[in-house]
Amino acid sequence: MTRYLLICIAFVISGCGTISPRSDTNWVGYKESGKASYYANSHQSKKTASGELYKQELKTGAHKALPLGSLVKVTNVDNAKTVIVRINDRGPFVKGRIIDLSKSAFSEISSIANGVIDVQIEVIE
């Protein structure tokens, strides 16, 4: 009985001490691969999750979990072109996509005509 009680207490204590897998300070080096798209023109001047207005000429992006303000290197896996973006919004909300880019960021690594591309992202700051 005592052994059972000690095991139960150990599980309760270990559950109380859990830390989220990533905090704001340990995202550097995080990598993810998937699909990227870009914001439609209709988003211009609309408020982002950070509170700032979306401007398609800035190098920004949206990610579901990365801390707002994170700097992310986005690499087009087909041509190895890269762009650095600052995360200022949440999304994308389309299955299979890992990041939405501003129009100017997307155009640095691919033709806008492609619409959706395969990328690897890496948090650099």
Side-chain angles (χ1 to χ4, degrees):
M1 182 66 169
T2 303
R3 179 181 281 173
Y4 175 73
L5 182 59
L6 289 175
I7 291 171
C8 288
I9 290 171
F11 278 121
V12 169
I13 291 172
S14 68
C16 293
T18 59
I19 299 172
S20 63
R22 298 210 174 257
S23 68
D24 286 349
T25 59
N26 68 353
W27 283 92
V28 174
Y30 171 80
K31 294 180 180 180
E32 187 177 1
S33 295
K35 304 250 182 228
S37 57
Y38 65 92
Y39 284 83
N41 290 337
S42 62
H43 290 277
Q44 182 70 4
S45 299
K46 292 194 177 169
K47 193 179 275 192
T48 64
S50 68
E52 64 192 90
L53 299 181
Y54 168 71
K55 295 180 181 171
Q56 64 186 6
E57 64 274 8
L58 299 179
K59 305 293 188 274
T60 58
H63 191 274
K64 291 177 188 158
L66 293 176
L68 296 174
S70 297
L71 292 181
V72 177
K73 179 170 83 170
V74 182
T75 303
N76 180 334
V77 299
D78 290 333
N79 63 18
K81 289 183 178 181
T82 65
V83 65
I84 306 289
V85 299
R86 182 176 46 83
I87 301 299
N88 72 340
D89 203 6
R90 292 292 173 223
F93 301 108
V94 176
K95 187 177 179 177
R97 296 190 192 164
I98 62 167
I99 194 166
D100 274 338
L101 300 172
S102 64
K103 200 170 193 178
S104 66
F106 191 95
S107 67
E108 287 232 350
I109 60 173
S110 181
S111 167
I112 293 296
N114 289 329
V116 178
I117 58 172
D118 290 315
V119 296
Q120 179 178 22
I121 65 171
E122 179 180 2
V123 177
I124 58 171
E125 187 181 311

